[in-house]
Amino acid sequence: FPVTIQIELKFDWRAFGETTNDLIRVWAIPSTTIPTSGTGLAASATNIKAGNDLLLFSTWNTVFINDLNVIPFAGSTMRLVFEWRNNASLGTQPPGAIDNVEIKIVTCPKPKNLATANISYNQAQVSWTNGATESQWEIIVLPQGSTAPTASATGTIVNSPSPYLITGLTSVTCYDVYIRAICSPTDKS
């Protein structure tokens, strides 16, 4: 399928077998690469592994990968591969299974590499890396352990890139910081 910068991937899976030997791996690869039965894929600049290895669950589980970077495929077509590895050293294990695959193209990628610095008794500096080409961000600061904000929550709108100085903090209090990109009035990360 044609891709942009980032996709969200959600699917159900189950796989049971030997620890670290029998597993499912998910890959984004060029459409020109044809997987060969019996030969595993290897990570490279164009073979991008999505998420962690999936193993040791005999019941259905749901995986949500919300930041699959597909920049290497921008302007082209990619292939999504679900790879089952089984070394059969302790006999034939039941195969892994995938179901209910959902793919969404992310039009407004979230900021990355959130970090804090210069923390004092009532302020802290927060920085991030742009997710794409956004020029506005929304920041919400809550005491640690508070319920995470919903998509409709509003915070402070920032019109200049990071870093941003958060002020008015209470000393000896831990905080959670949420930052989302604003790509347009109707498109936020």
Side-chain angles (χ1 to χ4, degrees):
F1 52 87
V3 296
T4 55
I5 294 172
Q6 183 179 331
I7 62 173
E8 292 180 349
L9 174 63
K10 180 180 175 185
F11 59 91
D12 296 329
W13 72 278
R14 67 181 184 178
F16 198 74
E18 295 176 74
T19 304
T20 70
N21 291 320
D22 301 333
L23 52 90
I24 295 171
R25 287 188 175 147
V26 182
W27 299 89
I29 64 173
S31 63
T32 55
T33 301
I34 308 297
T36 304
S37 180
T39 304
L41 293 168
S44 69
T46 57
N47 289 354
I48 300 170
K49 186 173 171 235
N52 298 319
D53 292 347
L54 306 174
L55 67 158
L56 297 179
F57 274 96
S58 59
T59 59
W60 288 101
N61 295 281
T62 300
V63 168
F64 181 66
I65 300 169
N66 65 357
D67 59 354
L68 180 53
N69 176 3
V70 290
I71 290 174
F73 310 106
S76 66
T77 304
M78 64 168 262
R79 185 182 308 267
L80 189 63
V81 175
F82 293 89
E83 175 185 26
W84 166 245
R85 290 183 169 211
N86 181 333
N87 73 352
S89 68
L90 294 178
T92 303
Q93 302 296 333
I98 302 293
D99 200 4
N100 302 318
V101 178
E102 294 179 30
I103 298 170
K104 293 181 183 176
I105 294 176
V106 176
T107 57
C108 189
K110 65 182 180 178
K112 297 176 261 185
N113 305 319
L114 181 62
T116 55
N118 303 321
I119 299 170
S120 71
Y121 70 95
N122 67 351
Q123 62 185 22
Q125 189 177 46
V126 63
S127 62
W128 62 91
T129 304
N130 290 3
T133 59
E134 72 273 15
S135 59
Q136 278 191 325
W137 300 267
E138 186 170 20
I139 300 174
I140 296 178
V141 180
L142 298 172
Q144 187 177 39
S146 298
T147 302
T150 63
S152 61
T154 57
T156 302
I157 304 297
V158 176
N159 293 309
S160 59
S162 94
Y164 174 76
L165 185 63
I166 300 169
T167 60
L169 302 176
T170 303
S171 63
V172 194
T173 302
C174 294
Y175 290 90
D176 291 326
V177 178
Y178 299 87
I179 300 176
R180 68 177 167 186
I182 302 173
C183 297
S184 77
T186 58
D187 193 14
K188 299 177 182 178
S189 64

